[in-house]
Amino acid sequence: MHLLDPINFSFPLLATATEAADSSMVVAAVLLSLVVVYLASKVGGELSNLVGLPPVLGELLGGVVVGISVFHLLVFPEGGTDSSNSLIMSFLQTTAGLAPEATPAVFAAQSEVVSVLAELGVIILLFEIGLESNLKDLMAVGIQATVVAIVGVVVPFAAGTVGLMTLFGIGAVPAIFAGAALTATSIGITSKVLSELGRLNSKEGQIILGAAVIDDVLGIIVLAVVASLAKDGVVDVSKVIYLIISATGFILGAILLGNVFNKSFVAIADKLKTRGGLVIPAFIFAFAMAYLAAVIHLETILGAFAAGLVLEETDKRKELQRQVCPIADMLVPIFFVTVGAKTDLGVLNPAIPDNREGLIMATFLIIVAILGKVITGFSVFGLPGINRLAIGVGMIPRGEVGLVFAGVGAASGALSKPLGAAIIMMVILTTFLAPPLLRFVFPDPKTVDGSSEQLILDGSSGTLVIEPPQLRVPASNDRDNLEVTPESSDR
């Protein structure tokens, strides 16, 4: 018997990779790529935060600067770029003795590794979003938020898709992908501005936040369907119906699973005494759900999101969120910087005649993105005197959710360079415009005794809640700003 023959333990994939590229050079290239990624994400995020914008937008712009649009530090072969355009490859040739004839293989392997890390980053991002999305809150936001969310998905999706196909002659699948990107809403950006304005507890604020949460769920389902279509390159109505049913059933199944799985997960985690006793089982579950989604021809991110929804219902939610956070801090920036690095904004340069169509597409998408969300406020009914314009404006920012759509679209190969760049421009502009527009459409809040809303920790439920000023008993040491009990430092 030859059970111990070394040949039986060979791994063809690894062997092929080693033959094609020097593994030590690949590792060196990946390490340099991560240095560039983390520097770009940190510098961009800090500068963005400094001017009051979401750090994720800075990560994206940092990626644009180090990528194909500016410095060519982080480039990828998908856009037709070769190793001669990569400054990292040139640096390795100068400092590490990388042979010119071996450079293309090292470049290809390095690009593949970074792309896989970026894919892991978006899976963990959606898992984290699921952990932060309370199912009870999703079901309790009311009919108004549901109507706003549905209109906010249907109107921009239909207008964007039909407009791109009829006005620009874009194919069905890329047009659908771009239309899907228009459906996103960033709850993080809107909630931050509403909090600053003291409007979180207003009727408008409740509807905006509730609709944004529902929007995220609907958007992820749409993304799963569209990304699956992009793999085949054609639109099959029967397959669309199958995917919609599958995606919806997957989410509903996750909700039902949560009621059964919660106690079992906690019991297993309590019995594990070694390091990673909570977070490792959680990732096993998340990756298994992501794999299951892929098996039934959905996107892996839908499985990760569903896993987050399930585990959000457990007693270990707060501790799990804390443990997932540093892992997300390591991997999620790779995704956003990679999206920016792959975006060639040069295709929108109006000085080049061939680029003008892409610039016009970007203008069209930006108009649809703004009007398609503003109109949602006017779908609110039965609430006289409500600020419908403010509700619509609050739904405008695409933020990190829009970037997820753009990144998945670029990775699938469904988007052309001009269309991909146009989507990125739409995400950037709507994210920049939303905060000042919200401040404009909301007048200065008039609160009882001049105080603002207060964010406090509900000791019974362990969740942060908004306390209206009129319900508070004034005290000599009362403060108008954010109050958090000591326990809230866990969140």
Side-chain angles (χ1 to χ4, degrees), residues 428-443:
I428 292 173
L429 198 64
T430 56
T431 304
F432 269 104
L433 282 177
L437 284 178
L438 267 175
R439 290 180 173 90
F440 177 77
V441 297
F442 265 128

mmCIF file with all atom_site columns, all heavy atoms in Angstrom, residues 428-443:
data_model
loop_
_atom_site.group_PDB
_atom_site.id
_atom_site.type_symbol
_atom_site.label_atom_id
_atom_site.label_alt_id
_atom_site.label_comp_id
_atom_site.label_asym_id
_atom_site.label_entity_id
_atom_site.label_seq_id
_atom_site.pdbx_PDB_ins_code
_atom_site.Cartn_x
_atom_site.Cartn_y
_atom_site.Cartn_z
_atom_site.occupancy
_atom_site.B_iso_or_equiv
_atom_site.pdbx_formal_charge
_atom_site.auth_seq_id
_atom_site.auth_comp_id
_atom_site.auth_asym_id
_atom_site.auth_atom_id
_atom_site.pdbx_PDB_model_num
ATOM 1   N N   . ILE A 1 428 ? -20.897 58.518 -4.858 1.00 0.00 ? 428 ILE A N   1
ATOM 2   C CA  . ILE A 1 428 ? -20.127 59.588 -4.208 1.00 0.00 ? 428 ILE A CA  1
ATOM 3   C C   . ILE A 1 428 ? -20.964 60.858 -4.073 1.00 0.00 ? 428 ILE A C   1
ATOM 4   O O   . ILE A 1 428 ? -21.050 61.461 -2.993 1.00 0.00 ? 428 ILE A O   1
ATOM 5   C CB  . ILE A 1 428 ? -18.844 59.880 -5.009 1.00 0.00 ? 428 ILE A CB  1
ATOM 6   C CG1 . ILE A 1 428 ? -17.877 58.691 -4.930 1.00 0.00 ? 428 ILE A CG1 1
ATOM 7   C CG2 . ILE A 1 428 ? -18.156 61.153 -4.507 1.00 0.00 ? 428 ILE A CG2 1
ATOM 8   C CD1 . ILE A 1 428 ? -16.661 58.827 -5.827 1.00 0.00 ? 428 ILE A CD1 1
ATOM 9   N N   . LEU A 1 429 ? -21.618 61.259 -5.157 1.00 0.00 ? 429 LEU A N   1
ATOM 10  C CA  . LEU A 1 429 ? -22.343 62.529 -5.142 1.00 0.00 ? 429 LEU A CA  1
ATOM 11  C C   . LEU A 1 429 ? -23.561 62.484 -4.216 1.00 0.00 ? 429 LEU A C   1
ATOM 12  O O   . LEU A 1 429 ? -23.816 63.439 -3.472 1.00 0.00 ? 429 LEU A O   1
ATOM 13  C CB  . LEU A 1 429 ? -22.766 62.916 -6.562 1.00 0.00 ? 429 LEU A CB  1
ATOM 14  C CG  . LEU A 1 429 ? -23.138 64.392 -6.728 1.00 0.00 ? 429 LEU A CG  1
ATOM 15  C CD1 . LEU A 1 429 ? -21.934 65.279 -6.460 1.00 0.00 ? 429 LEU A CD1 1
ATOM 16  C CD2 . LEU A 1 429 ? -23.692 64.674 -8.108 1.00 0.00 ? 429 LEU A CD2 1
ATOM 17  N N   . THR A 1 430 ? -24.329 61.390 -4.265 1.00 0.00 ? 430 THR A N   1
ATOM 18  C CA  . THR A 1 430 ? -25.500 61.308 -3.385 1.00 0.00 ? 430 THR A CA  1
ATOM 19  C C   . THR A 1 430 ? -25.084 61.274 -1.917 1.00 0.00 ? 430 THR A C   1
ATOM 20  O O   . THR A 1 430 ? -25.774 61.827 -1.055 1.00 0.00 ? 430 THR A O   1
ATOM 21  C CB  . THR A 1 430 ? -26.355 60.072 -3.698 1.00 0.00 ? 430 THR A CB  1
ATOM 22  O OG1 . THR A 1 430 ? -25.545 58.882 -3.616 1.00 0.00 ? 430 THR A OG1 1
ATOM 23  C CG2 . THR A 1 430 ? -26.975 60.165 -5.080 1.00 0.00 ? 430 THR A CG2 1
ATOM 24  N N   . THR A 1 431 ? -23.930 60.659 -1.642 1.00 0.00 ? 431 THR A N   1
ATOM 25  C CA  . THR A 1 431 ? -23.444 60.611 -0.263 1.00 0.00 ? 431 THR A CA  1
ATOM 26  C C   . THR A 1 431 ? -22.988 61.986 0.201  1.00 0.00 ? 431 THR A C   1
ATOM 27  O O   . THR A 1 431 ? -23.211 62.373 1.351  1.00 0.00 ? 431 THR A O   1
ATOM 28  C CB  . THR A 1 431 ? -22.291 59.596 -0.145 1.00 0.00 ? 431 THR A CB  1
ATOM 29  O OG1 . THR A 1 431 ? -22.747 58.317 -0.618 1.00 0.00 ? 431 THR A OG1 1
ATOM 30  C CG2 . THR A 1 431 ? -21.844 59.434 1.294  1.00 0.00 ? 431 THR A CG2 1
ATOM 31  N N   . PHE A 1 432 ? -22.362 62.753 -0.696 1.00 0.00 ? 432 PHE A N   1
ATOM 32  C CA  . PHE A 1 432 ? -21.930 64.098 -0.360 1.00 0.00 ? 432 PHE A CA  1
ATOM 33  C C   . PHE A 1 432 ? -23.122 65.044 -0.188 1.00 0.00 ? 432 PHE A C   1
ATOM 34  O O   . PHE A 1 432 ? -23.124 65.910 0.697  1.00 0.00 ? 432 PHE A O   1
ATOM 35  C CB  . PHE A 1 432 ? -21.021 64.646 -1.480 1.00 0.00 ? 432 PHE A CB  1
ATOM 36  C CG  . PHE A 1 432 ? -19.569 64.379 -1.265 1.00 0.00 ? 432 PHE A CG  1
ATOM 37  C CD1 . PHE A 1 432 ? -18.913 63.393 -1.982 1.00 0.00 ? 432 PHE A CD1 1
ATOM 38  C CD2 . PHE A 1 432 ? -18.839 65.115 -0.350 1.00 0.00 ? 432 PHE A CD2 1
ATOM 39  C CE1 . PHE A 1 432 ? -17.570 63.148 -1.789 1.00 0.00 ? 432 PHE A CE1 1
ATOM 40  C CE2 . PHE A 1 432 ? -17.489 64.869 -0.149 1.00 0.00 ? 432 PHE A CE2 1
ATOM 41  C CZ  . PHE A 1 432 ? -16.844 63.889 -0.870 1.00 0.00 ? 432 PHE A CZ  1
ATOM 42  N N   . LEU A 1 433 ? -24.140 64.905 -1.044 1.00 0.00 ? 433 LEU A N   1
ATOM 43  C CA  . LEU A 1 433 ? -25.251 65.852 -1.062 1.00 0.00 ? 433 LEU A CA  1
ATOM 44  C C   . LEU A 1 433 ? -26.223 65.674 0.100  1.00 0.00 ? 433 LEU A C   1
ATOM 45  O O   . LEU A 1 433 ? -26.804 66.651 0.585  1.00 0.00 ? 433 LEU A O   1
ATOM 46  C CB  . LEU A 1 433 ? -26.032 65.712 -2.380 1.00 0.00 ? 433 LEU A CB  1
ATOM 47  C CG  . LEU A 1 433 ? -25.427 66.358 -3.627 1.00 0.00 ? 433 LEU A CG  1
ATOM 48  C CD1 . LEU A 1 433 ? -26.300 66.061 -4.836 1.00 0.00 ? 433 LEU A CD1 1
ATOM 49  C CD2 . LEU A 1 433 ? -25.306 67.865 -3.438 1.00 0.00 ? 433 LEU A CD2 1
ATOM 50  N N   . ALA A 1 434 ? -26.419 64.438 0.548  1.00 0.00 ? 434 ALA A N   1
ATOM 51  C CA  . ALA A 1 434 ? -27.481 64.156 1.521  1.00 0.00 ? 434 ALA A CA  1
ATOM 52  C C   . ALA A 1 434 ? -27.369 64.955 2.820  1.00 0.00 ? 434 ALA A C   1
ATOM 53  O O   . ALA A 1 434 ? -28.363 65.549 3.263  1.00 0.00 ? 434 ALA A O   1
ATOM 54  C CB  . ALA A 1 434 ? -27.541 62.660 1.799  1.00 0.00 ? 434 ALA A CB  1
ATOM 55  N N   . PRO A 1 435 ? -26.194 64.978 3.496  1.00 0.00 ? 435 PRO A N   1
ATOM 56  C CA  . PRO A 1 435 ? -26.130 65.711 4.767  1.00 0.00 ? 435 PRO A CA  1
ATOM 57  C C   . PRO A 1 435 ? -26.511 67.194 4.660  1.00 0.00 ? 435 PRO A C   1
ATOM 58  O O   . PRO A 1 435 ? -27.356 67.655 5.434  1.00 0.00 ? 435 PRO A O   1
ATOM 59  C CB  . PRO A 1 435 ? -24.671 65.513 5.207  1.00 0.00 ? 435 PRO A CB  1
ATOM 60  C CG  . PRO A 1 435 ? -24.276 64.208 4.578  1.00 0.00 ? 435 PRO A CG  1
ATOM 61  C CD  . PRO A 1 435 ? -24.956 64.216 3.255  1.00 0.00 ? 435 PRO A CD  1
ATOM 62  N N   . PRO A 1 436 ? -25.941 67.973 3.721  1.00 0.00 ? 436 PRO A N   1
ATOM 63  C CA  . PRO A 1 436 ? -26.365 69.383 3.642  1.00 0.00 ? 436 PRO A CA  1
ATOM 64  C C   . PRO A 1 436 ? -27.819 69.547 3.233  1.00 0.00 ? 436 PRO A C   1
ATOM 65  O O   . PRO A 1 436 ? -28.489 70.463 3.709  1.00 0.00 ? 436 PRO A O   1
ATOM 66  C CB  . PRO A 1 436 ? -25.415 69.996 2.602  1.00 0.00 ? 436 PRO A CB  1
ATOM 67  C CG  . PRO A 1 436 ? -24.860 68.839 1.843  1.00 0.00 ? 436 PRO A CG  1
ATOM 68  C CD  . PRO A 1 436 ? -24.833 67.693 2.784  1.00 0.00 ? 436 PRO A CD  1
ATOM 69  N N   . LEU A 1 437 ? -28.325 68.679 2.355  1.00 0.00 ? 437 LEU A N   1
ATOM 70  C CA  . LEU A 1 437 ? -29.730 68.768 1.954  1.00 0.00 ? 437 LEU A CA  1
ATOM 71  C C   . LEU A 1 437 ? -30.657 68.486 3.127  1.00 0.00 ? 437 LEU A C   1
ATOM 72  O O   . LEU A 1 437 ? -31.700 69.148 3.279  1.00 0.00 ? 437 LEU A O   1
ATOM 73  C CB  . LEU A 1 437 ? -30.023 67.796 0.805  1.00 0.00 ? 437 LEU A CB  1
ATOM 74  C CG  . LEU A 1 437 ? -29.527 68.201 -0.590 1.00 0.00 ? 437 LEU A CG  1
ATOM 75  C CD1 . LEU A 1 437 ? -29.855 67.117 -1.615 1.00 0.00 ? 437 LEU A CD1 1
ATOM 76  C CD2 . LEU A 1 437 ? -30.143 69.531 -1.014 1.00 0.00 ? 437 LEU A CD2 1
ATOM 77  N N   . LEU A 1 438 ? -30.310 67.506 3.967  1.00 0.00 ? 438 LEU A N   1
ATOM 78  C CA  . LEU A 1 438 ? -31.130 67.213 5.144  1.00 0.00 ? 438 LEU A CA  1
ATOM 79  C C   . LEU A 1 438 ? -31.164 68.405 6.086  1.00 0.00 ? 438 LEU A C   1
ATOM 80  O O   . LEU A 1 438 ? -32.208 68.742 6.660  1.00 0.00 ? 438 LEU A O   1
ATOM 81  C CB  . LEU A 1 438 ? -30.592 65.981 5.872  1.00 0.00 ? 438 LEU A CB  1
ATOM 82  C CG  . LEU A 1 438 ? -31.213 64.632 5.495  1.00 0.00 ? 438 LEU A CG  1
ATOM 83  C CD1 . LEU A 1 438 ? -30.488 63.501 6.222  1.00 0.00 ? 438 LEU A CD1 1
ATOM 84  C CD2 . LEU A 1 438 ? -32.691 64.594 5.812  1.00 0.00 ? 438 LEU A CD2 1
ATOM 85  N N   . ARG A 1 439 ? -30.027 69.037 6.262  1.00 0.00 ? 439 ARG A N   1
ATOM 86  C CA  . ARG A 1 439 ? -29.983 70.208 7.131  1.00 0.00 ? 439 ARG A CA  1
ATOM 87  C C   . ARG A 1 439 ? -30.825 71.347 6.555  1.00 0.00 ? 439 ARG A C   1
ATOM 88  O O   . ARG A 1 439 ? -31.386 72.166 7.291  1.00 0.00 ? 439 ARG A O   1
ATOM 89  C CB  . ARG A 1 439 ? -28.539 70.664 7.325  1.00 0.00 ? 439 ARG A CB  1
ATOM 90  C CG  . ARG A 1 439 ? -27.710 69.703 8.178  1.00 0.00 ? 439 ARG A CG  1
ATOM 91  C CD  . ARG A 1 439 ? -26.266 70.204 8.357  1.00 0.00 ? 439 ARG A CD  1
ATOM 92  N NE  . ARG A 1 439 ? -25.537 69.367 9.307  1.00 0.00 ? 439 ARG A NE  1
ATOM 93  C CZ  . ARG A 1 439 ? -24.842 68.295 8.995  1.00 0.00 ? 439 ARG A CZ  1
ATOM 94  N NH1 . ARG A 1 439 ? -24.788 67.907 7.727  1.00 0.00 ? 439 ARG A NH1 1
ATOM 95  N NH2 . ARG A 1 439 ? -24.210 67.595 9.916  1.00 0.00 ? 439 ARG A NH2 1
ATOM 96  N N   . PHE A 1 440 ? -30.911 71.406 5.234  1.00 0.00 ? 440 PHE A N   1
ATOM 97  C CA  . PHE A 1 440 ? -31.679 72.469 4.577  1.00 0.00 ? 440 PHE A CA  1
ATOM 98  C C   . PHE A 1 440 ? -33.185 72.242 4.700  1.00 0.00 ? 440 PHE A C   1
ATOM 99  O O   . PHE A 1 440 ? -33.942 73.172 4.976  1.00 0.00 ? 440 PHE A O   1
ATOM 100 C CB  . PHE A 1 440 ? -31.270 72.561 3.105  1.00 0.00 ? 440 PHE A CB  1
ATOM 101 C CG  . PHE A 1 440 ? -32.060 73.572 2.322  1.00 0.00 ? 440 PHE A CG  1
ATOM 102 C CD1 . PHE A 1 440 ? -31.792 74.929 2.448  1.00 0.00 ? 440 PHE A CD1 1
ATOM 103 C CD2 . PHE A 1 440 ? -33.066 73.168 1.456  1.00 0.00 ? 440 PHE A CD2 1
ATOM 104 C CE1 . PHE A 1 440 ? -32.525 75.866 1.730  1.00 0.00 ? 440 PHE A CE1 1
ATOM 105 C CE2 . PHE A 1 440 ? -33.799 74.090 0.733  1.00 0.00 ? 440 PHE A CE2 1
ATOM 106 C CZ  . PHE A 1 440 ? -33.532 75.444 0.869  1.00 0.00 ? 440 PHE A CZ  1
ATOM 107 N N   . VAL A 1 441 ? -33.642 70.991 4.482  1.00 0.00 ? 441 VAL A N   1
ATOM 108 C CA  . VAL A 1 441 ? -35.088 70.729 4.466  1.00 0.00 ? 441 VAL A CA  1
ATOM 109 C C   . VAL A 1 441 ? -35.680 70.606 5.857  1.00 0.00 ? 441 VAL A C   1
ATOM 110 O O   . VAL A 1 441 ? -36.894 70.710 6.026  1.00 0.00 ? 441 VAL A O   1
ATOM 111 C CB  . VAL A 1 441 ? -35.407 69.453 3.658  1.00 0.00 ? 441 VAL A CB  1
ATOM 112 C CG1 . VAL A 1 441 ? -35.000 69.617 2.212  1.00 0.00 ? 441 VAL A CG1 1
ATOM 113 C CG2 . VAL A 1 441 ? -34.751 68.221 4.272  1.00 0.00 ? 441 VAL A CG2 1
ATOM 114 N N   . PHE A 1 442 ? -34.844 70.360 6.873  1.00 0.00 ? 442 PHE A N   1
ATOM 115 C CA  . PHE A 1 442 ? -35.328 70.320 8.251  1.00 0.00 ? 442 PHE A CA  1
ATOM 116 C C   . PHE A 1 442 ? -35.082 71.671 8.912  1.00 0.00 ? 442 PHE A C   1
ATOM 117 O O   . PHE A 1 442 ? -33.938 72.101 9.043  1.00 0.00 ? 442 PHE A O   1
ATOM 118 C CB  . PHE A 1 442 ? -34.591 69.243 9.057  1.00 0.00 ? 442 PHE A CB  1
ATOM 119 C CG  . PHE A 1 442 ? -35.312 67.924 9.106  1.00 0.00 ? 442 PHE A CG  1
ATOM 120 C CD1 . PHE A 1 442 ? -34.654 66.765 8.762  1.00 0.00 ? 442 PHE A CD1 1
ATOM 121 C CD2 . PHE A 1 442 ? -36.638 67.843 9.517  1.00 0.00 ? 442 PHE A CD2 1
ATOM 122 C CE1 . PHE A 1 442 ? -35.296 65.536 8.809  1.00 0.00 ? 442 PHE A CE1 1
ATOM 123 C CE2 . PHE A 1 442 ? -37.290 66.622 9.571  1.00 0.00 ? 442 PHE A CE2 1
ATOM 124 C CZ  . PHE A 1 442 ? -36.627 65.470 9.214  1.00 0.00 ? 442 PHE A CZ  1
ATOM 125 N N   . PRO A 1 443 ? -36.125 72.364 9.357  1.00 0.00 ? 443 PRO A N   1
ATOM 126 C CA  . PRO A 1 443 ? -35.907 73.602 10.111 1.00 0.00 ? 443 PRO A CA  1
ATOM 127 C C   . PRO A 1 443 ? -35.307 73.287 11.477 1.00 0.00 ? 443 PRO A C   1
ATOM 128 O O   . PRO A 1 443 ? -35.281 72.138 11.900 1.00 0.00 ? 443 PRO A O   1
ATOM 129 C CB  . PRO A 1 443 ? -37.321 74.191 10.249 1.00 0.00 ? 443 PRO A CB  1
ATOM 130 C CG  . PRO A 1 443 ? -38.222 73.000 10.168 1.00 0.00 ? 443 PRO A CG  1
ATOM 131 C CD  . PRO A 1 443 ? -37.547 72.029 9.226  1.00 0.00 ? 443 PRO A CD  1
#
